[in-house]
Amino acid sequence: MNIVVYPGTFDPITKGHFDLIERAARMFDKVVVAVAASPGKRPTLSIEDRVALAKEVIDGIDNVEVTGFSCLLTELLDQQGARIILRGLRAVSDFEYELQLANMNRAQAPHVESVFLTPAVENSYISATIVREIARLGGDVSRLVHPRVADALRAHYAKETPSGQ
Ligand code: COA
């Protein structure tokens, strides 16, 4: 079976991520969306919330699964019986970091290949950082994320600052 692992922090999962997941689901037998704990990035949403939201967003696509992980990515690939990593490229500015990640992963596991997909143009400007910033300031993120993600962000920031601002 041709399994691809799509890792990320997904804080939160956006329509840009979903765009890539749909494309990968058409290309591979199975897609594993791997939500990294990424404690060093001090994510806004908990790992449990990020996994739960990813599961809701991908609901209905048969060959996609979601898992949380806090080990090395290459270890997760072994656990999943996978040899392919998927990452997204939104713009040239993403490339340098992605090349570094791919080379680091190859150094650790030479049998693992990284593949890159680009989202549709209308999703290419979406970044999780910008989504969080707009939501934190009470803006409308409905064009950028699934409605359940928008609700979760609203609830999160309403708790953080009772005024929602
Ligand atoms: N501090 C806080 N947040 C940060 C950050 C930082 N230094 N750098 C990035 N972020 C946030 C941003 O919100 C960014 O989203 P955006 O670009 O949509 O705005 C989001 O994290 C994504 O960052 P990025 O670094 O591009 O990728 P990622 O976090 O989605 O994925 C992993 C990186 C999970 C694939 C990689 O860290 C990994 O494989 N981790 C597992 C452990 C491992 O094997 N490490 C060695 C890899 S060689």
Side-chain angles (χ1 to χ4, degrees):
M1 196 155 66
N2 222 351
I3 305 171
V4 70
V5 172
Y6 179 26
T9 304
F10 300 107
D11 183 33
I13 189 163
T14 67
K15 288 193 176 176
H17 297 129
F18 185 67
D19 180 311
L20 253 64
I21 292 166
E22 277 189 310
R23 285 171 207 283
R26 291 194 291 267
M27 298 170 65
F28 295 90
D29 298 320
K30 182 171 149 189
V31 181
V32 178
V33 177
V35 181
S38 298
K41 290 182 183 170
R42 302 169 56 86
T44 296
L45 300 174
S46 69
I47 177 81
E48 293 80 11
D49 286 350
R50 285 179 281 135
V51 167
L53 288 171
K55 283 183 177 166
E56 291 194 58
V57 167
I58 58 107
D59 188 35
I61 315 182
D62 287 342
N63 59 336
V64 182
E65 285 176 12
V66 179
T67 187
F69 77 107
S70 52
C71 59
L72 274 177
L73 178 58
T74 48
E75 279 174 25
L76 179 81
L77 266 92
D78 277 350
Q79 289 164 19
Q80 296 285 334
R83 288 167 166 255
I84 309 171
I85 297 169
L86 169 67
R87 292 283 290 171
L89 285 176
R90 295 170 294 195
V92 174
S93 50
D94 284 339
F95 181 74
E96 207 169 302
Y97 175 63
E98 293 303 331
L99 186 64
Q100 187 183 14
L101 266 190
N103 283 331
M104 284 303 295
N105 285 318
R106 178 172 284 161
Q108 290 171 72
H111 61 283
V112 165
E113 294 295 344
S114 295
V115 300
F116 302 91
L117 288 176
T118 55
V121 174
E122 64 269 26
N123 291 326
S124 64
Y125 65 92
I126 302 177
S127 101
T129 309
I130 290 173
V131 166
R132 290 195 303 274
E133 179 75 357
I134 294 172
R136 188 176 64 80
L137 296 170
D140 177 14
V141 292
S142 59
R143 258 282 301 119
L144 313 173
V145 295
H146 186 281
R148 278 291 299 119
V149 176
D151 288 348
L153 288 172
R154 208 172 298 117
H156 175 85
Y157 288 115
K159 235 187 306 165
E160 203 169 70
T161 51
S163 67
Q165 298 300 300

